[in-house]
Amino acid sequence: MRLIMVIIAVLGLVLPTKYAKAAADTSLAYEIIQPARIQLGDSATIQVTSFNGYLPDIQIPTVPGLKFEVMGRSQGLDSVNGTAIPATFLQVRVTPQFVGDFTIPALVPNAQPLGLEVVRADEPDPFAFPSQKPAPLPVAPVSLPKGVQLTAGGAAFVQLLIPTRPVYVGESVPIEIALGIRPGIVTSVNGLPTLNGSDFTLDNLSQHPKDREQAIEGRPFRVWTWNSVVEAIKPGDYSMAVNAPISARVLSKKDVAYASVLQWPFLQMMVNSITPKDITITSPSFKLNVLPLPTEGQPKDFSGAIGTFQVSSDVSSLHVAVGDPLTVRLHISGVGNFDRVDATMFDRLEQWKTYPAKSSFTHSDEVGYQGEKVFEQPLIASRAGEQIIPSLEFSYFNPNTRHYERAHTSPITVIVAASSSVGSPDALTEALGGQFAQGLRPDHPRSRRSTSEMRPLFFQAGFLAIPATLALALAASWFALRPNPRRATSAAAERALAQLEAAAQAGDSPLFFELARQTLLKTLAARWQMPSDQITPAGLKARLGTATNDIDRLFGLADEAKYAHDQPTGGDFQYWLAFIRGQLAGGKE
């Protein structure tokens, strides 16, 4: 094909005019479609361009589902490598009648068929190219960032932007990924960018990237930008890069040599004749230092939250009655890994009857790095009077100051009124307006029952049964309420099981396994009469022997769910629920 192009160009200079015109008809005309992807109800335009001042009659093709309409001919100038060249244009309007992928036969000889994709009106298109013809350059061209190189024959690049400071294990780190391509040479983007290593997790990649056109090193580029966050799984020094799959018409060295001789439009014709290849381009590697979280000064209630946060609280009502519920809302806002923010601070509400808290998160960016998490805790007061909801505290690690910090709310005073049950005598008297406050006089005197024996009442069989019944009830109460260290029916155990069941139903594996680990450590600490933070794997092995297999497995799953976001099945949740329930009920050592 390249040899034929050279021969045609030479013949166009030396043959008679009529043959030169014929050669020009087949070589100096090209066609494009704008845009190549449209929604049903819109129209695309085919433009045929000729550079020799002569445009042959065009035979309009017949394609089922497409309607063609010749818009007219015109003459003007077309820019080729910055030089204005006289050209003749023919425009044809294409209107689809239904959704689908269409192939339009070439309107001029030796041209490639055109493709048109028609989608529904509600279907987004983040990767649509407006045309295969080079776009006009923006006013202010830019250069490639330092360290970024063009690949795919100079037609694409991918760049990774990440903070240069050291990060910590489990910290959500915001990143930006930029992908630039040359339309016409790069024909499609075949997927979202991905990290090329397993030491980090890429979360919440924005689904709708920002799109702009730029002139980079004097060439038109289309640039997409994604935002996301990454998390490091373990400490160390790592190299991070990002991959992007594309399809491109890559020119060989021989193609480039021919193109430099033929110039436009032979270059465009040559590019159009190359079959696109699927390739993956990679960004320059980025060095990142990942530090472990410091153990010195780590609060016992630290849940793994890393970032900068602010807290506040409010209640649904400041005046309630005994037995009526109210809701305490804890607001945690800021930037960081909100998936590690939990509500363990509600466990310290000693004077209130509590139920499992519910949480909701509202993000203020595309990737969930900034926003507000709200916990709603139902409470019921059991005593009347002025009750105080104590200050709620939240511990987190601040990567900017490299210290653990504690945020807290202000106490809230709630007025609890006595219960106004209409079943009580005083309430009934008040409800009836006091008209029966003095009682009613009977219409006739009460009849007296006769007795058949003269023995005192305390010697009769019916009376003697009363103290025996009371003694049996007292004995049964003693057996039911006697202290038993292996019984886990306290309010804390019931609350822990309820929270585990709620996390299992929601499919929240990080929360489920973290609650399971904390519950098991507290249970063993109470059983062995020692602080939970002093329980070590060696101590577990010494006390339980081979029985630590399930415990070691549970702790391993908790770490995987916390740092690797492992998602177990529903059967796994039920197995570990039964295991924790057995430990709370007094598992065998």
Side-chain angles (χ1 to χ4, degrees):
M1 177 61 72
R2 292 192 291 269
L3 182 59
I4 292 175
M5 292 180 182
V6 175
I7 294 174
I8 291 176
V10 173
L11 291 177
L13 298 176
V14 299
L15 290 181
T17 304
K18 62 177 181 179
Y19 297 108
K21 177 185 292 186
D25 293 343
T26 59
S27 300
L28 297 181
Y30 73 96
E31 57 185 278
I32 60 173
I33 186 169
Q34 295 180 331
R37 188 179 193 269
I38 61 174
Q39 295 179 346
L40 186 63
D42 296 338
S43 297
T45 301
I46 297 176
Q47 178 172 291
V48 182
T49 304
S50 174
F51 289 97
N52 67 342
Y54 174 79
L55 193 63
D57 292 335
I58 300 299
Q59 184 66 33
I60 301 300
T62 300
V63 179
L66 297 181
K67 179 182 177 182
F68 297 90
E69 180 183 1
V70 177
M71 303 295 294
R73 300 169 184 261
S74 61
Q75 292 184 344
L77 299 176
D78 196 8
S79 177
V80 178
N81 293 334
T83 303
I85 299 178
T88 303
F89 306 98
L90 173 67
Q91 293 185 339
V92 180
R93 177 185 295 167
V94 184
T95 304
Q97 298 174 343
F98 50 81
V99 174
D101 294 326
F102 300 91
T103 300
I104 303 173
L107 303 184
V108 295
N110 297 331
Q112 295 292 322
L114 300 176
L116 178 63
E117 182 182 1
V118 181
V119 299
R120 297 189 306 272
D122 57 347
E123 185 175 344
D125 179 24
F127 302 121
F129 297 109
S131 172
Q132 292 183 353
K133 184 180 179 180
L137 301 181
V139 177
V142 298
S143 301
L144 279 174
K146 183 179 180 181
V148 179
Q149 297 180 352
L150 292 175
T151 58
F157 72 89
V158 61
Q159 179 189 13
L160 173 64
L161 297 177
I162 193 169
T164 57
R165 64 169 177 82
V167 301
Y168 291 86
V169 174
E171 178 185 358
S172 294
V173 182
I175 65 172
E176 184 177 287
I177 300 173
L179 172 63
I181 58 95
R182 289 190 63 186
I185 299 179
V186 177
T187 58
S188 65
V189 178
N190 300 330
L192 296 174
T194 58
L195 293 180
N196 63 355
S198 60
D199 299 317
F200 296 85
T201 60
L202 182 66
D203 299 327
N204 303 328
L205 188 67
S206 54
Q207 297 298 319
H208 301 287
K210 300 176 182 177
D211 183 10
R212 68 183 187 275
E213 292 184 355
Q214 283 186 339
I216 299 177
E217 297 186 353
R219 301 173 182 177
F221 275 79
R222 192 170 185 184
V223 182
W224 286 287
T225 303
W226 289 268
N227 295 101
S228 183
V229 292
V230 296
E231 290 187 6
I233 300 177
K234 53 187 177 180
D237 294 326
Y238 301 99
S239 294
M240 181 188 302
V242 64
N243 300 328
I246 63 173
S247 294
R249 298 185 174 103
V250 180
L251 295 175
S252 65
K253 294 183 178 179
K254 293 183 178 179
D255 294 331
V256 174
Y258 279 113
S260 63
V261 175
L262 298 178
Q263 297 297 325
W264 186 274
F266 298 105
L267 174 60
Q268 182 67 38
M269 296 170 61
M270 181 182 298
V271 171
N272 290 341
S273 66
I274 297 176
T275 301
K277 296 181 180 180
D278 294 338
I279 60 176
T280 299
I281 61 176
T282 304
S283 69
S285 297
F286 191 94
K287 302 294 183 180
L288 192 63
N289 182 23
V290 181
L291 304 176
L293 286 172
T295 57
E296 182 180 357
Q298 185 178 105
K300 293 183 178 180
D301 59 349
F302 176 66
S303 61
I306 304 175
T308 56
F309 302 95
Q310 302 82 38
V311 299
S312 62
S313 63
D314 59 72
V315 294
S316 57
S317 177
L318 296 176
H319 297 81
V320 294
V322 173
D324 291 342
L326 61 85
T327 301
V328 178
R329 288 180 291 268
L330 175 65
H331 304 262
I332 302 179
S333 59
V335 296
N337 53 348
F338 279 92
D339 57 328
R340 311 292 174 86
V341 175
D342 62 12
T344 57
M345 65 286 295
F346 286 123
D347 295 339
R348 295 187 290 273
L349 299 177
E350 301 287 346
Q351 305 299 326
W352 299 81
K353 184 177 181 181
T354 63
Y355 295 89
K358 298 180 180 180
S359 64
S360 61
F361 177 67
T362 303
H363 57 83
S364 57
D365 60 356
E366 292 183 324
V367 297
Y369 182 66
Q370 303 180 12
E372 181 185 54
K373 196 168 188 178
V374 179
F375 294 90
E376 294 186 352
Q377 173 70 67
L379 300 178
I380 294 180
S382 56
R383 294 186 304 177
E386 184 177 281
Q387 303 294 335
I388 296 178
I389 299 176
S391 172
L392 302 178
E393 297 183 346
F394 170 65
S395 299
Y396 63 94
F397 181 79
N398 190 331
N400 299 322
T401 62
R402 300 189 177 187
H403 290 91
Y404 292 96
E405 299 182 3
R406 182 180 297 272
H408 58 85
T409 66
S410 301
I412 300 177
T413 302
V414 179
I415 306 301
V416 182
S419 177
S420 57
S421 174
V422 297
S424 62
D426 294 340
L428 179 62
T429 300
E430 183 179 354
L432 296 177
Q435 56 180 334
F436 299 113
Q438 302 299 325
L440 298 176
R441 179 177 297 178
D443 294 335
H444 56 276
R446 299 178 180 177
S447 60
R448 296 182 178 179
R449 295 183 300 172
S450 60
T451 180
S452 59
E453 57 184 9
M454 298 299 294
R455 286 186 303 169
L457 180 63
F458 50 83
F459 285 138
Q460 296 181 16
F463 185 85
L464 291 176
I466 295 177
T469 302
L470 293 176
L472 290 174
L474 180 61
S477 301
W478 183 84
F479 279 106
L481 301 178
R482 74 185 188 280
N484 187 355
R486 294 182 178 274
R487 181 175 299 165
T489 58
S490 64
E494 294 178 358
R495 182 166 59 250
L497 285 174
Q499 292 175 344
L500 283 169
E501 292 176 354
Q505 293 177 0
D508 191 343
S509 57
L511 176 60
F512 176 86
F513 284 106
E514 185 63 26
L515 287 175
R517 172 161 52 187
Q518 295 177 3
T519 302
L520 184 57
L521 287 176
K522 292 179 180 178
T523 302
L524 295 177
R527 187 181 303 168
W528 297 336
Q529 300 296 311
M530 61 185 299
S532 59
D533 56 359
Q534 295 182 6
I535 298 178
T536 62
L540 289 173
K541 191 71 175 179
R543 289 177 176 267
L544 302 180
T546 58
T548 61
N549 293 338
D550 281 342
I551 297 178
D552 292 340
R553 184 183 171 196
L554 175 62
F555 290 173
L557 288 174
D559 291 334
E560 292 178 6
K562 186 173 184 180
Y563 297 115
H565 302 287
D566 185 28
Q567 298 293 335
T569 62
D572 294 337
F573 285 135
Q574 297 304 320
Y575 173 82
W576 291 114
L577 270 174
F579 177 74
I580 295 299
R581 191 177 288 108
Q583 293 295 324
L584 291 175
K588 295 181 179 181
E589 299 185 1

